[in-house]
């Protein structure tokens, strides 16, 4: 039978075998929400990199460099890590080189899996539809924050688990069942529930309320972005 499990941080993903699995990378606040927004608005692709120097080296005329440290745009970068910056006007046709504190590391940690997909509330439905069709062994990789478990990612893992478990086509781990219960409990007041999330509170303290609203809004994208290796063996999300 199809299996469903959750990995709670990107550090934990380094320690487990992902061979043969489909892994959904989740960093709701805010890296994977940005990735889905950028691709939905016509970005040619996203190149996830670990550090600021590598991002600067990859910059050229058809590429933008984007990302954050401590949730703030990196000096000299074209964009920060707010999904609202990634409008069609700014990014259509461009490749985006991206480095963030947790989300891009989670993508790299997942790269040894058979298939790597990107999850955000914007594409929850299309992602769930794809996974229901595909089946197999699925792990929902929550990026976490600074190596620690983070409730924003767990909420999304719960929303996705709820759909997959409801189909009765998956055997869920105990953690996937817990996430599904959590989503069911929290879904009527998502922002109330997220007030308990440390990174949510941090972003709110920096004045990113519009990002918080955006990142927890369901729908808006039919995409199922996936990680590929291009001809130069460069990681690419398309
Ligand atoms: C991350 O990758 O840690 C985040 O997306 C941080 C943020 O910008 O909110």
């Amino acid at each position: 039978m199809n299996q469903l499990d959750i990995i709670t941080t990107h550090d934990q993903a380094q320690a487990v075998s992902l061979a043969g699995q489909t892994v959904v990378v989740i960093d709701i606040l805010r890296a994977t929400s940005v990735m889905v927004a950028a691709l939905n608005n016509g970005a040619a692709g996203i190149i996830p990199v670990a550090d600021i120097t590598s991002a600067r080296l990859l910059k050229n005329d058809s590429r933008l460099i984007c990302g954050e440290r401590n949730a703030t745009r990196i000096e000299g970068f074209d964009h920060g890590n707010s999904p609202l910056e990634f409008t069609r006007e700014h990014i259509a046709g461009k490749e985006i080189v991206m480095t963030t504190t947790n989300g891009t590391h989670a993508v790299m940690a997942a790269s040894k899996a058979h298939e790597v997909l990107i999850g955000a509330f914007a594409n929850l439905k299309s992602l769930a539809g794809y996974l229901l069709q595909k089946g197999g062994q699925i792990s929902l990789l929550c990026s976490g924050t600074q190596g620690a478990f983070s409730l924003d990612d767990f909420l999304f893992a719960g929303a996705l688990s709820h759909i997959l478990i409801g189909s009765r086509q998956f055997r869920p781990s105990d953690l996937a069942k817990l996430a599904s219960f959590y989503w069911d409990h929290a879904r009527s007041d998502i922002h109330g529930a997220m007030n308990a999330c440390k990174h949510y509170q941090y972003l709110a303290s920096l004045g990113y309320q519009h990002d918080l609203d955006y990142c927890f809004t369901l729908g808006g994208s039919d995409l199922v972005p996936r990680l590929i290796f291009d001809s130069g063996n460069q990681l690419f999300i398309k």
Side-chain angles (χ1 to χ4, degrees):
M1 193 175 186
N2 302 317
Q3 312 275 338
L4 176 65
D5 200 3
I6 293 177
I7 300 171
T8 53
T9 64
H10 66 81
D11 287 340
Q12 198 198 341
Q14 311 275 7
V16 296
S17 166
L18 300 175
Q21 295 200 31
T22 298
V23 173
V24 179
V25 179
I26 303 163
D27 186 359
I28 297 305
L29 296 175
R30 294 165 293 171
T32 58
S33 299
V34 167
M35 291 171 189
V36 173
L39 292 169
N40 211 45
N41 284 335
I46 293 163
I47 302 171
V49 297
D51 57 77
I52 296 170
T53 308
S54 310
R56 289 202 168 113
L57 287 172
L58 287 168
K59 166 88 177 155
N60 65 29
D61 287 349
S62 59
R63 286 180 178 158
L64 299 171
I65 49 174
C66 308
E68 58 68 40
R69 288 297 178 269
N70 300 315
T72 301
R73 179 161 65 90
I74 299 158
E75 210 188 314
F77 273 38
D78 299 297
H79 290 287
N81 197 36
S82 165
L84 302 175
E85 291 177 52
F86 291 77
T87 58
R88 196 163 280 278
E89 181 200 350
H90 286 116
I91 54 129
K94 301 270 189 195
E95 290 175 357
I96 293 175
V97 180
M98 185 173 180
T99 177
T100 71
T101 314
N102 303 281
T104 51
H105 291 276
V107 172
M108 283 178 272
S111 63
K112 57 194 172 176
H114 174 67
E115 184 170 32
V116 180
L117 308 172
I118 302 298
F121 277 101
N123 73 336
L124 171 66
K125 268 200 179 147
S126 45
L127 191 54
Y130 176 81
L131 294 171
L132 284 169
Q133 230 177 14
K134 179 153 196 236
Q137 205 177 336
I138 294 169
S139 283
L140 310 183
L141 167 49
C142 298
S143 300
T145 299
Q146 319 276 18
F149 172 84
S150 192
L151 269 179
D152 56 313
D153 300 333
F154 193 64
L155 181 74
F156 179 83
L160 191 48
S161 296
H162 196 72
I163 299 171
L164 300 181
I165 293 170
S167 74
R168 301 186 187 278
Q169 296 173 40
F170 285 85
R171 180 173 298 137
S173 67
D174 286 2
L175 198 51
K177 285 183 211 159
L178 178 63
S180 173
F181 284 134
Y182 178 61
W183 164 252
D184 216 18
H185 163 79
R187 64 199 293 180
S188 60
D189 180 13
I190 288 178
H191 290 277
M194 286 299 99
N195 268 323
C197 169
K198 193 173 163 191
H199 193 55
Y200 183 100
Q201 289 170 358
Y202 178 61
L203 292 175
S205 77
L206 295 180
Y208 287 125
Q209 193 56 49
H210 292 304
D211 281 14
L212 298 175
D213 292 340
Y214 179 92
C215 291
F216 292 102
T217 299
L218 273 160
S221 174
D222 293 335
L223 299 178
V224 181
R226 50 176 48 72
L227 186 68
I228 55 166
F229 286 89
D230 76 359
S231 48
N233 216 26
Q234 173 79 64
L235 288 180
F236 236 96
I237 298 164
K238 282 189 187 219

